[in-house]
Amino acid sequence: MNDSNTGAIRLQTQRSHYREHSVPLYLTSSFVFEDAEQARAVFAEEEAGQVYSRYANPNIDELLEKMCYLEKAEDGFAFASGMGAIFGSLGALLQSGDHVLACRSLFGSTHQLLTNIFPKWGVSYSYADAGNPEEWESLITPATKLILIETPSNPGLELIDLEWLGELKQKHNLLLVVDNCFATPVLQNPTDFGADLVLHSATKYIDGQGRVLGGIAVGKSDLIAQIRYFARHTGPAMSPFNAWVLSKSLETLRLRVEKHCENALKLAETLEGNPALEKVNYPFLPSFPQYELAKKQMRLGGGIVTLEVKGGYDAAKRFIDNLQMASISANLGDTRTIVTHPASTTHSKLSEQERAATGITPGLVRVSVGLESIADIISDVTQALERV
Ligand SMILES: *Cc1c(COP(=O)(O)O)cnc(C)c1O
């Protein structure tokens, strides 16, 4: 296969004797053995085969084969949610005494993991600013084990130069872990720059239709072996049903993500200069502070546009309440356009200062641009802004 899109469509678990075209759902907790000897051999890993769906399942294996292919990774493990993938991966790889260097602008629950949960087990962290490369190197200590980043970040849309970070991690012999949820493998492959592990909330663009939760970790096989051991014995496995849904969704991932990006760019271009807005942030707008970097490392600008409404929280609330079509919800990456007010919802657990440091102003509204016809999205957003 010359093209990753073909792989996302054609890679498929082995057909059963029924010769089905679409892969069946293997909704089974365990698998049977021909005899006691086969059971022994499969448990001893002398013979390949399914054992129990907390370990693996044909639907999960198919999803992982496609994700490894799309992310150019050696191996993977699937989790019940994106947070399961982040917690399970870091939990497997970190020891008491280790230090994590992360970008300051992180998904809200990932921030909780680093600041409140891992410290219970003696894992410390430091945050560096995306826009300040010297700061990163100065925060590395002998205890630093891994670098954890999001690019673009949620919801600040801050980018980190993956080529530069790949060199930094090489120089200091650290693991580089990238949450690639916002970009998806359609827009960038962190493994091209030396990332050791790529994490996904499959709940977002990979499902793309707002139905199921899922998390994916793909990367170097020695790391995945440690993650697999940790996850198999702690139980955050993905359901076979969710894996079946997500694997089907990958067949349309590129088509959907390209259309999300096309709609997002048109919306951002139309809204730039709107008198009700302080600012429109979108990586592929020339006015975006990191436009050059966005063009260098992302194939398209992504499906998220953020709007800074003039007049702070009250104006942002009026804008959201004036929308007639867009949904008010915490999810993103859905076919339907969704607006979120991060300061009062997804990032409300952060302090005022923490929010300010990551660009989450009281007037900031995150728009996950959907696949409705762009004329309808633009007219909904502009009428809501006119009435702010
Ligand atoms: C949503 C999200 C997560 C968490 O994923 P869940 O599937 O909701 O657990 C992690 N990282 C980013 C960037 C996200 O947007």
Side-chain angles (χ1 to χ4, degrees), residues 80-86 106-110 150 152-154 179-182 200-204 212-215 330-332 366:
S81 69
M83 287 321 301
I86 298 172
L106 280 178
F107 183 67
S109 294
T110 311
E150 291 173 23
S153 68
N154 180 5
D179 179 339
N180 205 27
C181 170
F182 265 41
H200 280 282
S201 167
T203 315
K204 312 295 168 53
V212 300
L213 296 180
N331 198 17
L332 62 91
R366 185 184 75 191

Side-chain angles (χ1 to χ4, degrees), residues 238-312:
M238 178 183 280
S239 134
F241 175 76
N242 288 12
W244 178 82
V245 170
L246 293 167
S247 182
K248 268 278 160 210
S249 295
L250 285 181
E251 296 182 18
T252 55
L253 182 71
R254 187 198 284 182
L255 201 63
R256 287 184 287 106
V257 169
E258 285 177 354
K259 189 66 182 175
H260 280 293
C261 294
E262 185 190 320
N263 280 357
L265 178 62
K266 281 189 191 147
L267 180 69
E269 283 171 347
T270 308
L271 295 180
E272 196 162 47
N274 185 300
L277 295 174
E278 206 79 66
K279 199 156 184 298
V280 176
N281 302 302
Y282 184 68
F284 268 34
L285 274 187
S287 62
F288 187 73
Q290 295 174 296
Y291 174 70
E292 295 301 326
L293 175 58
K295 284 278 185 178
K296 180 180 104 171
Q297 77 184 18
M298 293 170 69
R299 289 171 206 127
L300 294 164
I304 307 291
V305 176
T306 66
L307 308 175
E308 287 176 46
V309 183
K310 278 185 194 160

Side-chain angles (χ1 to χ4, degrees), residues 85-154:
I86 298 172
F87 176 70
S89 299
L90 297 190
L93 300 177
L94 293 170
Q95 312 271 354
S96 175
D98 285 345
H99 171 258
V100 175
L101 176 57
C103 59
R104 189 178 303 281
S105 188
L106 280 178
F107 183 67
S109 294
T110 311
H111 170 75
Q112 296 302 327
L113 269 188
L114 291 182
T115 55
N116 285 322
I117 297 175
F118 279 118
K120 293 201 297 183
W121 297 304
V123 173
S124 62
Y125 72 96
S126 302
Y127 282 150
D129 283 323
N132 185 356
E134 292 88 63
E135 191 186 11
W136 290 73
E137 196 151 19
S138 74
L139 291 170
I140 295 172
T141 75
T144 308
K145 174 85 181 277
L146 65 81
I147 301 178
L148 172 67
I149 62 144
E150 291 173 23
T151 178
S153 68
N154 180 5

